[in-house]
Structure formats: C-alpha cells, structure tokens
Amino acid sequence: MASRAEPVNVGGRRDWRDVARDAADLALLGILLTLAAAPLLTAAAAAGTASAAVHDWTRTGSWPSARTTLRRFGRSALPGVPVGLLALAVLGLLAADLAALAAGRVPGGPPVLAVTGLVSAALAGYAGLVVVEAGRNGGGRWRVAARSSARACLDAPARWAALTGVTALAGLLAVLVTPVAVPILAGYTLAALHAVASRLPVPTDVGRAFAADGGGREPAAARPELP
C-alpha cells in the first residue's frame, strides 16, 4: 500500500491521483480483511488488525508494514476468538428475530419489527465504534474497547447515531452491490467509521484505566482530529 504522505506537487495539494491511490488502498484493505476473516474464528482479529492499519493511516498518512500487521494479527488471533463467537451469536439471534417478525411467525407486527430493526442498527453502530477503538490500541484489548465505546456513545448520542448511519448505509450497499464488491466496501466502511469516531470524546476515567492497564494508547488530548 502506498503512502498518502508523499507530496505530489509544489503546493502540497492533493489531486485526483492521491484520491485514486487512497481508494485503491482501502479496496485492497477490504479484500485482505475479508480473506483473513473467512475462517470466522479469525474475524475479530482481522477486523482489529485492519482497524489498526486504518488508524495508522489516518494518523501518519502511511500504512503499517507487513511485519507489523502480521504481528498484530498473530497477537490478537487467540483473544479475538470469543469476541468473534459472541458477535456471530448476537448477529444470528437478531437476524432470526427479524426474519420471524417479518414473516409473521411471532406476534408484534410492523411496530415491533421497526423497533427491533432500530435496536439492531444501534448495536451495529456501537460495534463499529468498538472495532475503531480496538484499532486505536493496536488491534486488540476488546474489553477495554467495548467499555470506552459504551461511554463514548452515551456521552455523544448524536455521533452514535452517525456511526449507526454509517453501518446501516454499508449494510444497504452490501445488499445492493454485486457480491464481489462487498469486500471492497468493507475497507471503505472501516475508513468511514474512523472518520466519524475521530470526533467522539473519550471518557477521561476510561482513558486513565486504559493507560493503567498498559494499553499504550495516547490520551485523548494527544490525538489530533481529522480535518
């Protein structure tokens, strides 16, 4: 993957070639993420590693080396197994519930279906922020990421809604586009989640707990916002 930090002209302005290069990099990231997550048990490790790569890219303008990426993936593979299983279980239960409501096999009708859909979308937005937070601490430490994401969503519900909108739009596009384009969409979705989450406040008490736990993540004040 190329670096977007390289100047392309005297004025330092980005042109269409930089945009095309970034788009190609994110598409490749999505494909690699999908391949790494294909065994399902490695889905959490793949998502966290890809999120860490996007975090590096948005912070420095350069992608991490292959060695760094493989080290992150290997370190988070085993701890990510229960996270992936939990996510798959929740996804399966919600999908079964929505399907049963839509088919009329359970009582409630359209009102309950709409509420369940909204809850599912909100959970997807929260899950997206958890993936972003996991990427910020190197691709793992899911428990800390889940706790800080919950606090961030409660502190900024409007931005939680924005994250929910990103995941909902990505889900809609995944249904509409050809299946071969879904992996490419994954990379773009991850970048969009990072862009929205970069403006979410990080609770100070959670940040202190993370630092005490040795997470190695910078305090919120040290992370510049994306333009």
Side-chain angles (χ1 to χ4, degrees):
M1 292 182 180
S3 167
R4 65 170 182 171
E6 300 172 359
V8 294
N9 54 45
V10 177
R13 294 184 177 181
R14 289 166 52 78
D15 59 17
W16 66 269
R17 289 169 294 184
D18 299 283
V19 176
R21 182 171 57 194
D22 290 347
D25 287 346
L26 290 173
L28 177 58
L29 177 72
I31 294 172
L32 294 176
L33 165 60
T34 303
L35 291 175
L40 295 184
L41 292 180
T42 58
T49 303
S51 180
V54 173
H55 176 63
D56 290 350
W57 177 64
T58 56
R59 286 289 307 278
T60 68
S62 299
W63 295 98
S65 65
R67 181 178 180 180
T68 298
T69 300
L70 289 175
R71 185 177 68 249
R72 286 171 172 170
F73 181 80
R75 186 176 57 200
S76 59
L78 189 58
V81 171
V83 177
L85 291 176
L86 176 61
L88 288 173
V90 173
L91 180 62
L93 288 174
L94 288 174
D97 193 16
L98 288 170
L101 286 168
R105 293 194 297 268
V106 295
V112 177
L113 177 61
V115 171
T116 305
L118 289 175
V119 171
S120 301
L123 287 175
Y126 166 71
L129 181 56
V130 172
V131 172
V132 171
E133 287 295 309
R136 286 174 174 173
N137 61 56
R141 295 190 177 275
W142 292 97
R143 183 177 300 178
V144 176
R147 186 168 63 247
S148 61
S149 297
R151 286 293 307 276
C153 287
L154 294 176
D155 290 343
R159 289 173 183 164
W160 183 11
L163 290 165
T164 300
V166 171
T167 56
L169 178 60
L172 177 62
L173 292 176
V175 173
L176 295 178
V177 301
T178 179
V180 73
V182 173
I184 297 175
L185 179 62
Y188 296 151
T189 302
L190 193 54
L193 289 171
H194 272 266
V196 174
S198 66
R199 304 186 183 278
L200 276 167
V202 177
T204 55
D205 58 340
V206 175
R208 286 194 297 267
F210 185 87
D213 195 32
R217 174 177 154 189
E218 306 96 332
R223 291 201 315 270
E225 291 187 348
L226 293 178

